[in-house]
């Protein structure tokens, strides 16, 4: 069989005697990470701060392997589908078109970003780069509905002044919300990297040890000079 960088689910039992239930067990117990091939997706890369807050470094384009949160991996294996917005990018060298200018109108902190701290991918030491799908910035749906209701009241001439409670409620609702449809995955999208199988003790490393080369034998040249025994 050919050596591969990754495998699909339907290959595992034949190659490694690994059943679907085995894969689910390994994922549930954080012994195996699933990966997915992404093509030309736009992300905000960054890092997670305390309190589950996300710090943005740059907006980028990416095509390569990515991992998703464990709970989404379990959902995918259990329900055969999932939708994801948070990723870890696994091929740092395939991050391109990095833009370090803050890309949104909403000031930080907001629902999407805690703060913005530009940083080049080459200056990130982690092998797995945290990333969130680049979202759309749009009017908050509550304000959209409220404006629609106000228009209806205006047309029916039943508009009244907002109460103090309504004013207080409006003040708590952000004017803008961030929206992303996410990426849908099915079982056929799953890739299992060979390196993950090695970590789990299921496969052997593809790195071959150097072969020792035995030097060729050369004819022994005997000198005609007579050597005296020093003893």
């Amino acid at each position: 069989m050919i050596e591969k960088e990754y495998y699909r689910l339907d290959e595992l039992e034949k190659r490694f005697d690994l059943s679907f239930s085995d894969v689910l067990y390994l994922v549930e117990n954080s012994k195996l990470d699933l990966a997915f091939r992404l093509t030309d997706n736009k992300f905000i890369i960054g890092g997670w701060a305390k309190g589950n807050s996300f710090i943005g470094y740059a907006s980028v384009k990416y095509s390569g392997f990515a991992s998703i949160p464990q709970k989404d991996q379990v959902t995918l294996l259990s329900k055969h589908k999932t939708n994801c917005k948070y990723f870890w990018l696994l091929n740092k060298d395939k991050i391109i078109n990095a833009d370090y200018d803050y890309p949104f109108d909403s000031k930080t902190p907001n629902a999407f970003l805690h703060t913005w701290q530009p940083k080049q991918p080459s200056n990130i030491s982690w092998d797995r780069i945290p990333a969130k799908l680049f979202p759309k910035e749009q009017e908050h749906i509550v304000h959209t509905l409220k404006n629609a209701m106000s228009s209806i009241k205006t047309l029916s001439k039943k508009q009244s002044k907002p109460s103090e409670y309504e004013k207080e409620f409006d003040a708590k609702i952000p004017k803008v919300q961030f929206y992303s449809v996410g990426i849908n995955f099915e079982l056929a999208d799953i890739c299992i990297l060979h390196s993950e199988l090695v970590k789990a003790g299921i496969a052997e490393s593809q790195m071959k040890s150097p072969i020792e080369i035995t030097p060729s034998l050369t004819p022994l040249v005997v000198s005609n000079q007579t050597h005296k025994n020093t003893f």
Side-chain angles (χ1 to χ4, degrees), residues 15-34:
R15 280 180 172 264
F16 304 104
D17 195 25
L18 198 65
S19 69
F20 182 87
S21 296
D22 293 332
V23 173
L24 178 57
Y25 171 83
L26 291 169
V27 170
E28 286 177 331
N29 290 276
S30 303
K31 295 183 178 181
L32 188 70
D33 249 342
L34 307 180

Side-chain angles (χ1 to χ4, degrees), residues 29 47 58 73 80 90 92 101 117 145:
N29 290 276
Q73 295 184 37
H80 298 182
L90 305 181
K92 189 192 299 185
D101 293 331
Q117 297 177 3
L145 293 173

Side-chain angles (χ1 to χ4, degrees), residues 142-143 146 149-150 153 160-173:
V142 172
H143 292 296
K146 186 174 179 297
M149 292 298 294
S150 296
K153 288 180 179 180
S160 59
K161 292 183 179 180
S163 65
E164 291 300 320
Y165 172 79
E166 288 177 319
K167 291 179 180 179
E168 186 177 339
F169 177 78
D170 286 346
K172 292 180 180 179
I173 303 298

Side-chain angles (χ1 to χ4, degrees), residues 14-65:
K14 185 176 180 180
R15 280 180 172 264
F16 304 104
D17 195 25
L18 198 65
S19 69
F20 182 87
S21 296
D22 293 332
V23 173
L24 178 57
Y25 171 83
L26 291 169
V27 170
E28 286 177 331
N29 290 276
S30 303
K31 295 183 178 181
L32 188 70
D33 249 342
L34 307 180
F36 303 85
R37 292 181 67 95
L38 303 180
T39 303
D40 199 29
N41 291 104
K42 190 172 182 179
F43 291 97
I44 295 293
I45 60 170
W48 292 99
K50 290 182 179 179
N52 207 31
S53 300
F54 194 73
I55 299 171
Y57 296 160
S59 57
V60 302
K61 283 289 189 70
Y62 179 78
S63 296
F65 283 112

Side-chain angles (χ1 to χ4, degrees), residues 179-210:
Y179 174 75
S180 172
V181 296
I183 298 178
N184 293 318
F185 294 113
E186 299 178 354
L187 292 180
D189 299 312
I190 294 174
C191 298
I192 294 89
L193 300 181
H194 188 93
S195 57
E196 281 295 315
L197 294 174
V198 172
K199 288 179 186 178
I202 295 163
E204 295 181 357
S205 174
Q206 292 178 344
M207 293 182 63
K208 297 179 181 179
S209 56

Side-chain angles (χ1 to χ4, degrees), residues 67-201:
S67 182
I68 62 177
Q70 185 200 25
K71 65 179 181 63
D72 292 325
Q73 295 184 37
V74 173
T75 298
L76 175 56
L77 292 172
S78 302
K79 299 184 178 180
H80 298 182
K81 62 181 180 180
T82 193
N83 179 278
C84 297
K85 300 175 184 178
Y86 306 145
F87 297 84
W88 283 274
L89 309 186
L90 305 181
N91 305 116
K92 189 192 299 185
D93 58 328
K94 294 186 178 180
I95 295 174
I96 62 171
N97 297 346
D99 188 340
Y100 304 102
D101 293 331
Y102 181 67
F104 305 114
D105 293 328
S106 302
K107 295 181 180 180
T108 59
N110 53 53
F112 185 76
L113 286 174
H114 178 67
T115 188
W116 185 259
Q117 297 177 3
K119 182 183 290 187
Q120 295 182 6
S122 58
N123 293 333
I124 301 173
S125 59
W126 318 311
D127 294 328
R128 295 154 46 100
I129 310 298
K132 300 175 75 171
L133 274 176
F134 196 95
K136 293 179 180 179
E137 194 176 13
Q138 61 188 29
E139 183 182 48
H140 199 286
I141 189 170
V142 172
H143 292 296
T144 302
L145 293 173
K146 186 174 179 297
N147 292 335
M149 292 298 294
S150 296
S151 298
I152 293 172
K153 288 180 179 180
T154 300
L155 292 173
S156 62
K157 299 181 180 180
K158 292 182 179 180
Q159 189 173 14
S160 59
K161 292 183 179 180
S163 65
E164 291 300 320
Y165 172 79
E166 288 177 319
K167 291 179 180 179
E168 186 177 339
F169 177 78
D170 286 346
K172 292 180 180 179
I173 303 298
K175 292 182 179 179
V176 172
Q177 68 179 25
F178 295 89
Y179 174 75
S180 172
V181 296
I183 298 178
N184 293 318
F185 294 113
E186 299 178 354
L187 292 180
D189 299 312
I190 294 174
C191 298
I192 294 89
L193 300 181
H194 188 93
S195 57
E196 281 295 315
L197 294 174
V198 172
K199 288 179 186 178

